[in-house]
Amino acid sequence: MERKNLTEAEKLISMTETPDMVSPDYLDDDLMIIDNIKILGVPGGIRPNMNIIAICMRGKLQSTMNGEPIVVRERQVFVCPAETTIGELMVSPDFEYVALCITSRALQLFLRGYISVWNEIVYVQKQRQFEMTELDLRFYEKIYDLIRLCLEYPGEEADRGYRREVLQGFLSASLVGLCNLLQRHTELEVPAPKQNISLFNQFLDLLQRQQVKHRSVEHYASQLCISPKYLTMICKKNSGKTANDWIREYTLADITYELRNTTRSVKEISNRLGFPNTSFFGKYVRDHLGCTPLEYRGQG
């Protein structure tokens, strides 16, 4: 019988056309650790529901993220935020990597005060790949060895809770270290707390988790128990973009993914993404993408 309540990691695996080939080294409700090519070697485009953080140990990867080309080489770390469309993926024969797939809620839990660094660099600046020094590589190799040891340690059934806590401690340390690497790469100083950064982070998290993102600023503001004007001010101060800008950006990401990577009809996509009718949906696509939905699909 098919399970209805899949974890985010299990949903990510189910997106692949060959789920039987996927063999995570660790899997739970919020985390997946992998060190093989199979999870990324997926024909066509996918849109992971988890954040992917991967280190290229050897070889080269070429792909697109939301239509933008990216090339990742040896000793680079690359990040793929949740709900980002990955397409046209090609890897060299010698490509090797280690990767962590993590839900946004777990990322916020592990990073805590450093989540603003992640949001600034990954969502606002949209940087996707970063060079690693020899010291960086040694640090993450050691952390990964400890994680593997934790996973392989036999122990008793009663030890599982402890091992999970230890594993999460290692992961938290590696993610905080990653934020330091991202800051150093972008030559940013440790950012001074911006006005209500916590509310801005909550807004982004809320927006990412909504299937229907095409909603009014008032809708999101009410979820956060603040006024629409205050939400727009918070977004502007923390990212330089308004709340409407963020809503439109995420809505267009949903639209382009559905048109290019699914066989759903225009009417089905319109309903799925919360538009009142296909006419309104068509106008929205023409206004922002410069063509009709079917024309855009044909361009793929």
Side-chain angles (χ1 to χ4, degrees), residues 22-35:
V22 179
S23 53
D25 296 276
Y26 177 80
L27 177 67
D28 69 13
D29 290 355
D30 292 298
L31 301 168
M32 181 163 61
I33 300 170
I34 49 178
D35 65 356

Side-chain angles (χ1 to χ4, degrees), residues 230-284:
Y230 191 46
L231 176 57
T232 292
M233 182 195 74
I234 289 169
C235 291
K236 192 71 175 175
K237 285 183 176 294
N238 284 282
S239 70
K241 297 193 289 189
T242 67
N244 261 325
D245 290 337
W246 282 105
I247 295 167
R248 180 172 60 253
E249 184 172 312
Y250 274 84
T251 299
L252 288 172
D254 280 353
I255 290 172
T256 56
Y257 175 80
E258 292 287 336
L259 289 173
R260 288 280 174 84
N261 296 281
T262 76
T263 57
R264 295 186 182 97
S265 68
V266 171
K267 183 177 181 180
E268 287 173 326
I269 295 172
S270 174
N271 292 337
R272 180 180 176 82
L273 300 185
F275 286 84
N277 53 61
T278 54
S279 296
F280 190 89
F281 177 71
K283 183 178 186 306
Y284 190 91

Side-chain angles (χ1 to χ4, degrees), residues 1-8 10-11 14 49:
M1 181 178 295
E2 183 181 356
R3 285 176 54 196
K4 294 183 178 179
N5 298 317
L6 298 178
T7 67
E8 294 303 301
E10 288 170 330
K11 289 176 185 175
S14 70
N49 43 29

Side-chain angles (χ1 to χ4, degrees), residues 20-286:
D20 57 305
M21 294 177 63
V22 179
S23 53
D25 296 276
Y26 177 80
L27 177 67
D28 69 13
D29 290 355
D30 292 298
L31 301 168
M32 181 163 61
I33 300 170
I34 49 178
D35 65 356
N36 59 66
I37 186 59
K38 297 170 185 176
I39 186 67
L40 288 179
V42 180
I46 63 168
R47 197 172 187 209
N49 43 29
M50 303 177 80
N51 302 278
I52 300 176
I53 303 163
I55 299 173
C56 178
M57 309 301 291
R58 183 180 302 174
K60 184 174 73 171
L61 173 148
Q62 290 180 237
S63 184
T64 60
M65 291 188 179
N66 285 342
E68 296 294 324
I70 182 171
V71 178
V72 182
R73 295 180 172 83
E74 186 173 332
R75 286 175 50 169
Q76 288 186 330
V77 58
F78 68 102
V79 295
C80 175
E83 304 301 325
T84 297
T85 302
I86 303 174
E88 302 175 27
L89 193 147
M90 296 183 293
V91 297
S92 62
D94 60 340
F95 180 65
E96 293 181 8
Y97 76 100
V98 293
L100 168 68
C101 303
I102 181 170
T103 62
S104 293
R105 60 178 174 267
L107 192 66
Q108 292 205 34
L109 177 65
F110 287 150
L111 285 178
R112 296 183 181 274
Y114 294 94
I115 190 65
S116 59
V117 177
W118 172 271
N119 285 343
E120 170 71 24
I121 295 172
V122 175
Y123 288 113
V124 178
Q125 297 188 22
K126 298 186 185 303
Q127 300 206 39
R128 297 289 180 260
Q129 64 198 103
F130 309 88
E131 298 287 342
M132 300 182 73
T133 66
E134 186 64 33
L135 188 59
D136 292 327
L137 200 57
R138 284 173 52 200
F139 171 78
Y140 283 102
E141 283 176 341
K142 296 293 185 184
I143 286 284
Y144 185 67
D145 287 343
L146 289 170
I147 289 172
R148 289 304 300 259
L149 183 62
C150 183
L151 295 176
E152 294 168 1
Y153 185 77
E156 303 294 333
E157 185 71 23
D159 296 334
R160 287 190 176 181
Y162 292 98
R163 288 205 304 276
R164 178 180 169 84
E165 292 292 329
V166 172
L167 175 65
Q168 290 181 346
F170 289 143
L171 290 172
S172 181
S174 65
L175 288 168
V176 171
L178 174 68
C179 281
N180 178 51
L181 187 155
L182 303 189
Q183 272 190 344
R184 192 172 70 243
H185 179 83
T186 54
E187 298 182 349
L188 291 176
E189 296 180 358
V190 176
K194 295 184 180 180
Q195 184 169 5
N196 287 297
I197 186 68
S198 177
L199 278 172
F200 175 65
N201 291 334
Q202 289 176 50
F203 169 62
L204 287 186
D205 182 59
L206 184 62
L207 189 55
Q208 292 162 34
R209 289 188 286 107
Q210 299 281 308
Q211 176 174 305
V212 176
K213 298 177 176 65
H214 181 61
R215 298 180 186 273
S216 66
V217 175
E218 288 79 3
H219 168 82
Y220 291 100
S222 68
Q223 299 291 304
L224 298 170
C225 300
I226 57 177
S227 71
K229 184 177 180 181
Y230 191 46
L231 176 57
T232 292
M233 182 195 74
I234 289 169
C235 291
K236 192 71 175 175
K237 285 183 176 294
N238 284 282
S239 70
K241 297 193 289 189
T242 67
N244 261 325
D245 290 337
W246 282 105
I247 295 167
R248 180 172 60 253
E249 184 172 312
Y250 274 84
T251 299
L252 288 172
D254 280 353
I255 290 172
T256 56
Y257 175 80
E258 292 287 336
L259 289 173
R260 288 280 174 84
N261 296 281
T262 76
T263 57
R264 295 186 182 97
S265 68
V266 171
K267 183 177 181 180
E268 287 173 326
I269 295 172
S270 174
N271 292 337
R272 180 180 176 82
L273 300 185
F275 286 84
N277 53 61
T278 54
S279 296
F280 190 89
F281 177 71
K283 183 178 186 306
Y284 190 91
V285 173
R286 286 194 301 274

